[in-house]
C-alpha cells in the first residue's frame, strides 16, 4: 500500500475509479476507459458492418471485411480493457477450468476468446439506452408476452419521456444510479406527475435494465435499489367514475326518443349491464338464451408493431379488428349475465334492425367501433344535458347503481368478470345517489342537546 502513487490517484478523473474498502484502507479499483478516439474507431467498425450487410460484394470481399471487423474489434477491446488492467500480461483474458474464456472488471465469460471479445465490444460500444429499450420492446413483441396495447404504451413512453432524457444516448453500461436518481427528481419535482405515471415509467425502466443484465450488457439491474420515498407526487385529479342516477335516467330517456341504430342501442344496453365495450361489440344473437347472455369474446382494434433494431426503426401496421377472449382471467371473464326486461327489449330491437349481421350491434354493415361509440356518447350526453363520461364509465355506472340498490358485492364481482374483490370495490367506489333521509341523519348526528 505504501508504494501506491498517491499523486497519480489524486489527479485521475473520478470516472476512472470505483471505490471499495478493505482492512480500513480505501483502495482504488481501475475501470475501463472509453475515450473519443475509441468511439470514433467504433463508428468506423459500424460503417464496415453496414457495407457488409447492404452492399453487393465481389466474391471473397465479404470474408475480407469480416476478418477486418474481427481484427479491429479485438484490437479496440484489448486497448480499452487494458486501461483497467495496466499490469496485465500479454494474454489479457484467461481460460477457466470449465473451458470457458473469462474476463474480470468487467466480468464476462464465453465459449471462445472471439465470443468473449464480442461481448466486451458490445459492453463498451454497442448499446445506448435507446437501443436497448427498442431491443427490449422487440423481445416482448417476438415472445408475444404483452398485448399490442402494452407495446404501444412502451413505445409512447420512449418517444414522449425517455428520448428527452440525457440517458437516451448514453451507453447503458455508463448509466449510474445517480443518473437515474436525478431523472426521478426531475420527473417528480414538487409534485409534477402522479404516482401512477411515475410507477409506469419506473416499471418500463426496470424492464429495460433486467433485459440488459440478462444479456450481459450490464453486470446487474440496480433500478429496484434506488430509493424513492422522498419523492413528491401530484395528487390525482378527481374524475367522476359513474353517472348519477338522474343523469343515467336523462340519458336513457333521450336515447329512446331518437332514431335507433347500432350505436344508440349499444349505449342503451351498456347502461343496463356490466359489459366492457369490447364485449358489447362481440355479442352475437345466438349468445342469448332466455334472459341469460353468455359473454364469450371481445372485439379489439389493434395496431401491430415491428422493430428493426439495427436501423432503430419502428413500423406500425394499420389497425385491424381481432376477436379475442374477454379481458382478464378467462376463468372469470367468460361469464353469464342476467338481462332485465328492458335489456332484452333493446337486444330484440337490435336484432330486428340487423337480422343477418355477424354481430348484434352493427351500423352500415360494419361492427361498431370504440372511437365512434365515444363520439356518439359525448353527443348524446350534450343533447341530454348531462356531463360526459367515457364508455368505460358506463360499466362503473351499472356496478355502482346495483351496489347502491343493495346487490351483494360477490354477485357484482361475478357479473363484472373480476378475479378479485379489490377490483370490484374500485368499480363501486362512486356514490350514484344520496342516502335517503340524509338531512335527518346529519341533524341527529351533529346537533347538540
Amino acid at each position: 500500500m505504501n508504494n501506491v502513487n498517491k499523486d497519480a490517484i489524486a489527479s485521475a478523473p473520478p470516472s476512472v475509479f470505483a471505490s471499495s474498502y478493505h482492512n480500513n484502507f480505501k483502495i482504488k479499483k481501475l475501470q475501463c476507459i472509453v475515450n473519443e478516439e475509441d468511439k470514433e474507431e467504433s463508428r468506423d467498425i459500424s460503417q464496415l458492418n453496414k457495407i457488409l450487410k447492404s452492399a453487393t460484394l465481389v466474391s471473397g470481399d465479404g470474408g475480407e471485411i469480416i476478418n477486418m471487423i474481427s481484427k479491429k474489434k479485438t484490437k479496440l477491446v484489448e486497448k480499452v480493457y487494458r486501461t483497467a488492467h495496466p499490469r496485465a500480461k500479454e494474454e489479457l483474458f484467461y481460460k477457466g477450468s470449465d473451458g470457458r474464456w473469462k474476463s474480470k472488471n468487467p466480468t464476462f465469460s464465453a465459449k471462445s476468446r472471439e465470443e468473449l471479445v464480442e461481448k466486451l465490444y458490445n459492453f463498451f460500444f454497442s448499446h445506448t439506452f435507446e437501443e436497448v429499450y427498442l431491443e427490449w420492446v422487440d423481445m416482448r413483441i417476438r415472445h408475444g408476452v404483452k398485448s399490442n396495447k402494452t407495446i404501444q404504451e412502451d413505445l409512447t413512453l420512449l418517444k414522449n419521456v425517455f428520448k428527452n432524457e440525457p440517458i437516451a444516448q448514453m451507453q447503458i453500461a455508463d448509466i449510474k444510479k445517480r443518473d437515474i436518481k436525478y431523472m426521478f427528481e426531475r420527473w417528480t419535482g414538487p409534485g409534477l406527475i402522479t404516482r401512477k405515471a411515475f410507477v409506469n415509467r419506473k416499471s418500463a425502466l426496470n424492464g429495460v435494465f433486467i433485459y440488459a443484465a440478462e444479456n450481459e450488457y450490464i453486470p446487474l439491474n440496480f433500478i429496484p435499489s434506488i430509493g424513492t420515498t422522498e419523492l413528491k407526487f401530484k395528487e390525482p385529479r378527481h374524475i367522476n367514475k359513474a353517472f348519477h342516477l338522474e343523469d343515467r335516467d336523462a340519458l336513457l330517456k333521450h336515447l329512446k326518443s331518437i332514431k335507433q341504430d347500432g350505436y344508440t342501442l349499444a349505449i342503451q344496453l351498456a347502461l343496463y349491464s356490466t359489459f366492457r365495450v369490447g364485449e358489447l361489440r362481440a355479442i352475437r344473437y345466438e349468445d342469448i338464451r332466455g334472459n341469460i347472455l353468455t359473454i364469450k369474446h371481445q372485439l379489439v382494434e389493434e395496431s401491430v408493431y415491428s422493430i428493426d433494431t439495427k436501423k432503430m426503426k419502428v413500423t406500425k401496421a394499420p389497425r385491424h379488428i381481432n376477436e379475442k377472449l374477454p379481458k382478464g382471467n378467462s376463468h372469470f371473464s367468460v361469464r353469464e349475465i342476467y338481462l332485465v326486461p328492458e335489456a332484452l327489449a333493446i337486444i330484440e330491437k337490435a336484432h330486428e334492425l340487423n337480422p343477418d349481421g355477424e354481430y348484434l350491434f352493427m351500423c352500415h354493415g360494419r361492427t361498431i367501433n370504440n372511437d365512434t361509440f365515444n363520439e356518439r356518447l359525448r353527443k348524446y350526453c350534450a343533447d341530454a344535458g348531462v356531463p360526459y363520461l367515457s364508455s368505460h364509465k358506463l360499466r362503473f355506472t351499472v356496478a355502482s347503481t346495483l351496489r347502491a340498490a343493495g346487490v351483494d358485492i360477490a354477485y357484482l364481482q361475478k357479473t363484472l368478470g373480476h378475479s378479485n374483490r379489490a377490483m370490484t370495490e374500485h368499480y363501486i367506489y362512486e356514490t350514484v345517489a344520496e342516502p335517503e333521509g340524509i338531512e335527518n341523519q346529519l341533524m341527529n348526528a351533529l346537533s347538540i342537546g
Side-chain angles (χ1 to χ4, degrees):
M1 185 69 182
N2 294 332
N3 295 328
V4 174
N5 188 329
K6 296 180 181 179
D7 291 335
I9 291 176
S11 61
S15 61
V16 173
F17 301 109
S19 300
S20 62
Y21 284 86
H22 180 64
N23 294 334
N24 297 324
F25 290 97
K26 194 172 183 179
I27 300 173
K28 300 292 184 178
K29 185 178 179 182
L30 284 163
Q31 297 290 330
C32 296
I33 302 170
V34 177
N35 59 34
E36 287 304 317
E37 182 183 335
D38 300 328
K39 292 177 182 178
E40 183 61 36
E41 180 65 22
S42 175
R43 286 190 281 270
D44 290 342
I45 292 172
S46 296
Q47 289 301 316
L48 287 172
N49 271 317
K50 288 181 181 178
I51 292 171
L52 186 64
K53 291 175 182 177
S54 62
T56 303
L57 301 171
V58 178
S59 179
D61 287 352
E64 290 181 11
I65 293 177
I66 290 172
N67 289 333
M68 187 185 303
I69 290 171
S70 178
K71 289 177 181 178
K72 283 180 174 289
K73 281 186 175 181
T74 300
K75 183 178 179 180
L76 187 54
V77 164
E78 289 178 349
K79 177 189 174 186
V80 173
Y81 187 78
R82 195 175 288 280
T83 60
H85 306 272
R87 298 182 181 179
K89 296 178 181 179
E90 184 175 346
E91 181 51 76
L92 294 173
F93 315 124
Y94 66 97
K95 197 171 184 179
S97 59
D98 58 357
R100 297 177 66 83
W101 283 84
K102 301 180 180 181
S103 64
K104 288 183 178 179
N105 185 31
T107 302
F108 288 101
S109 65
K111 294 178 182 178
S112 66
R113 194 181 194 280
E114 292 75 16
E115 185 181 329
L116 180 61
V117 166
E118 187 68 23
K119 283 188 176 184
L120 288 165
Y121 180 83
N122 289 337
F123 179 79
F124 294 141
F125 298 103
S126 299
H127 300 285
T128 65
F129 174 83
E130 183 179 353
E131 289 169 337
V132 178
Y133 194 106
L134 286 175
E135 284 186 24
W136 170 67
V137 176
D138 180 57
M139 177 273 294
R140 283 150 73 88
I141 292 172
R142 288 183 288 103
H143 290 185
V145 295
K146 297 296 178 182
S147 68
N148 289 332
K149 181 175 181 291
T150 301
I151 297 301
Q152 181 177 356
E153 290 168 353
D154 293 338
L155 292 170
T156 299
L157 276 178
L158 176 61
K159 178 182 178 182
N160 296 340
V161 178
F162 292 112
K163 271 195 174 184
N164 300 321
E165 293 293 339
I167 68 167
Q169 296 308 316
M170 289 175 66
Q171 294 294 322
I172 197 163
D174 292 338
I175 298 173
K176 309 298 183 188
K177 276 188 178 183
R178 63 174 177 270
D179 299 315
I180 304 300
K181 183 70 172 179
Y182 295 160
M183 183 171 69
F184 286 174
E185 290 170 352
R186 285 195 303 276
W187 284 349
T188 56
L192 300 176
I193 62 174
T194 64
R195 183 181 294 275
K196 181 179 179 181
F198 174 79
V199 168
N200 289 341
R201 296 179 186 189
K202 186 181 178 185
S203 177
L205 194 66
N206 189 54
V208 172
F209 273 73
I210 288 173
Y211 174 84
E214 288 174 345
N215 286 273
E216 298 186 332
Y217 301 161
I218 56 176
L220 54 86
N221 169 29
F222 56 71
I223 300 300
S225 67
I226 299 175
T228 59
T229 53
E230 75 284 7
L231 299 178
K232 295 179 175 62
F233 300 101
K234 181 180 181 180
E235 288 298 320
R237 186 166 56 96
H238 177 73
I239 300 174
N240 288 337
K241 294 180 181 178
F243 287 100
H244 287 278
L245 288 180
E246 60 271 21
D247 291 337
R248 173 181 176 271
D249 291 347
L251 181 56
L252 278 170
K253 183 178 180 180
H254 173 69
L255 286 165
K256 291 174 181 178
S257 71
I258 60 179
K259 183 179 178 180
Q260 303 297 290
D261 65 10
Y263 285 100
T264 59
L265 292 167
I267 293 171
Q268 288 177 66
L269 185 61
L271 285 162
Y272 280 105
S273 199
T274 53
F275 304 108
R276 299 176 176 93
V277 174
E279 296 168 349
L280 187 68
R281 297 172 64 199
I283 295 173
R284 292 182 169 91
Y285 188 66
E286 55 266 29
D287 295 336
I288 300 147
R289 292 288 182 271
N291 59 1
I292 299 297
L293 166 62
T294 303
I295 297 296
K296 301 176 181 178
H297 303 101
Q298 64 170 331
L299 290 184
V300 293
E301 294 175 28
E302 298 180 312
S303 292
V304 177
Y305 292 85
S306 61
I307 298 176
D308 186 332
T309 55
K310 300 297 183 185
K311 296 181 180 179
M312 299 275 288
K313 183 178 180 182
V314 178
T315 303
K316 177 182 175 181
R319 291 205 305 179
H320 62 282
I321 298 174
N322 282 337
E323 183 175 293
K324 296 183 173 183
L325 285 172
K327 182 179 177 182
N329 186 324
S330 60
H331 180 73
F332 299 92
S333 59
V334 175
R335 62 200 188 279
E336 293 183 343
I337 289 181
Y338 174 82
L339 299 171
V340 297
E342 292 91 336
L344 285 170
I346 293 166
I347 286 171
E348 290 303 324
K349 180 64 176 179
H351 184 56
E352 178 186 328
L353 292 178
N354 178 40
D356 301 317
E358 180 180 4
Y359 299 104
L360 182 64
F361 296 106
M362 301 182 74
C363 200
H364 305 300
R366 295 188 298 271
T367 178
I368 60 174
N369 69 69
N370 287 11
D371 292 341
T372 306
F373 189 102
N374 277 298
E375 289 171 7
R376 292 279 202 102
L377 179 57
R378 184 184 295 276
K379 179 183 185 306
Y380 299 144
C381 284
D383 293 343
V386 303
Y388 166 73
L389 295 177
S390 69
S391 57
H392 193 57
K393 300 305 184 291
L394 302 180
R395 185 165 146 88
F396 280 79
T397 297
V398 176
S400 299
T401 301
L402 292 175
R403 184 58 179 159
V407 174
D408 186 76
I409 195 167
Y411 175 80
L412 290 178
Q413 179 180 337
K414 179 180 177 182
T415 194
L416 284 162
H418 291 154
S419 59
N420 64 79
R421 178 168 174 156
M423 179 60 73
T424 303
E425 290 173 344
H426 167 70
Y427 270 71
I428 62 174
Y429 174 79
E430 194 75 12
T431 301
V432 295
E434 295 292 343
E436 291 185 9
I438 186 64
E439 291 183 6
N440 290 334
Q441 291 179 37
L442 292 174
M443 288 178 62
N444 292 335
L446 300 176
S447 296
I448 298 175

